[in-house]
Amino acid sequence: MTVQPFTTKDFTRRMENAISQAAAAGLTGILVTPGPDLVYFTGYQPTAITERITMLVLDADHDPHLIVPVLERPDAEAAPGAPAVTITDWADGADPYAATARLLDAGGRYAVSDSAWALHLLGLQEALPGSRYTSMTGTLPMLRAVKDADEIERLAAAGAAADAAYEQIIGVRFAGRRERDIGNDLADLLRAHGHEQVDFTVVGSGPNGANPHHEMGERVIQDGDMVVLDFGGLKNGYGSDTTRTVHVGEPTAEEREVFEIVRQAQQTAFEAVQPGIACEEIDRAARKVIDDAGCGQYFIHRTGHGIGLTTHEPPYMVVGERRPLVPGMCFSIEPGIYLPGRFGVRIEDIVTVTENAGRRLNNTDHALQVVS
């Protein structure tokens, strides 16, 4: 797939939508700092995120304004979203907070990127004592949650690349090798299939599989081990994240039974996806299957998380999250059972909400794969 770059029109539409959401939330505007939010709104990623303030100011009363250090202005001007913003710079030796404060309402209330440095926020508070600030995720959690067709295409490509890595990894030898060896193989395969960034390669064998975030270690994988493989990263700037659980040699009847409970939970949660239902209902659907099987105490995390420019972002599939699903939302469905000191099982796909159901962005077999 040849990915077409996002255009200035795309970034303008995103900024207009953000300003509208901020106004609806009773905010004066939004302050966007380097990280995924700034990439989303402008396509600009500073070479290094440092103590020098860079900030995009979005509000209903002014055109979008990006303030940058003077030495980084050429890079900012080269960003694909730059034509949609006014760029102002400041030089070392000047007061960056006074320069930024001129772009803000002295008594305004702003949502701020979660990645903002405390140094910068405190500097603005000192420059504008009457201003107020709130977390962007806390106030506008759905700001990047609904993906457009181009974003979904990128997520689908990332999912397909992760699937291809899985199809290859199950052909390698597991027994007698360290978890770290398999994890390194997975990372190499993700890169071979186009990932520019590998965020994680969880390889939890035997009792390590009962730790959902074990990642990988020096344990040598044994014949008879259940092995949880959870891996992902970024391809064309958008995330992949998939989990499959394999078994080294023939599994026991109990292992097959636990695996089947998780498989059914994952399938049931997927079938529950439709526009208009609350995010928490996806969690409830998966959890009910595991609870009814008597394993509820061993399902110890939420059922899913959003994905996009980062591999974990809103929305979250967890009890208490009552926001409705809408077409274009993309998130994981990943129930699991973790038996302490013994083994774990997890199955995960990325799913997007369509006009009437859900669509999987991971499509490898859910069956328990036996490896050597």
Side-chain angles (χ1 to χ4, degrees), residues 67-363:
I67 186 164
V68 300
V70 65
L71 75 167
E72 295 175 5
R73 181 167 186 147
D75 290 339
E77 291 176 333
V85 304
T86 299
I87 297 177
T88 297
D89 58 47
W90 61 276
D92 286 349
D95 183 343
Y97 305 114
T100 305
R102 287 193 286 270
L103 307 176
L104 307 184
D105 182 329
R109 180 170 177 259
Y110 294 90
V112 184
S113 293
D114 296 349
S115 58
W117 282 29
L119 172 71
H120 300 151
L121 188 57
L122 292 170
L124 286 177
Q125 287 178 319
E126 185 174 349
L128 296 173
S131 61
R132 293 167 295 157
Y133 305 92
T134 184
S135 158
M136 189 181 294
T137 293
T139 313
L140 302 170
M142 298 295 107
L143 199 57
R144 298 186 351 236
V146 179
K147 275 62 180 181
D148 63 25
D150 287 340
E151 291 181 288
I152 292 172
E153 188 174 13
R154 285 165 169 76
L155 286 163
D163 286 354
Y166 172 71
E167 295 287 5
Q168 288 185 256
I169 200 68
I170 59 177
V172 310
R173 183 163 186 80
F174 278 66
R177 301 180 69 207
R178 299 174 305 167
E179 293 172 339
R180 187 172 305 280
D181 298 328
I182 301 298
N184 290 339
D185 286 349
L186 273 171
D188 290 343
L189 287 169
L190 286 172
R191 295 187 186 98
H193 288 286
H195 279 62
E196 67 269 13
Q197 177 176 312
V198 176
D199 287 344
F200 51 89
T201 52
V202 170
V203 182
S205 65
N208 288 342
N211 176 357
H213 283 173
H214 168 68
E215 292 203 0
M216 55 185 176
E218 300 302 315
R219 184 179 185 275
V220 175
I221 301 170
Q222 306 294 320
D223 188 58
D225 279 347
M226 195 80 88
V227 185
V228 177
L229 304 172
D230 181 356
F231 50 97
L234 300 182
K235 177 181 168 71
N236 298 315
Y238 279 74
S240 69
D241 185 1
T242 188
T243 306
R244 294 292 183 264
T245 302
V246 302
H247 197 276
V248 185
E250 286 301 315
T252 66
E254 181 192 21
E255 288 169 331
R256 286 191 180 277
E257 179 183 8
V258 172
F259 184 93
E260 181 60 18
I261 294 166
V262 174
R263 190 198 65 77
Q264 290 179 359
Q266 209 274 347
Q267 179 65 25
T268 299
F270 171 71
E271 291 174 357
V273 175
Q274 59 180 312
I277 72 164
C279 292
E280 67 179 356
E281 294 306 321
I282 306 304
D283 185 81
R284 291 186 196 280
R287 205 165 295 279
K288 184 177 188 304
V289 173
I290 294 175
D291 285 345
D292 288 351
C295 297
Q297 65 181 318
Y298 303 118
F299 181 12
I300 56 177
H301 55 72
R302 65 196 175 201
T303 293
H305 57 81
I307 190 168
L309 287 166
T310 56
T311 48
H312 280 213
E313 61 185 47
Y316 298 104
M317 304 302 114
V318 63
V319 170
E321 179 50 87
R322 298 181 176 85
R323 291 181 178 85
L325 299 183
V326 299
M329 281 184 174
C330 299
F331 51 87
S332 67
I333 297 179
E334 50 179 305
I337 292 176
Y338 309 94
L339 303 179
R342 301 184 62 204
F343 64 90
V345 175
R346 183 165 66 257
I347 300 172
E348 174 187 16
D349 293 327
I350 299 302
V351 170
T352 186
V353 183
T354 68
E355 292 300 323
N356 54 19
R359 169 193 165 199
R360 295 186 195 273
L361 301 186
N362 294 107
N363 294 286

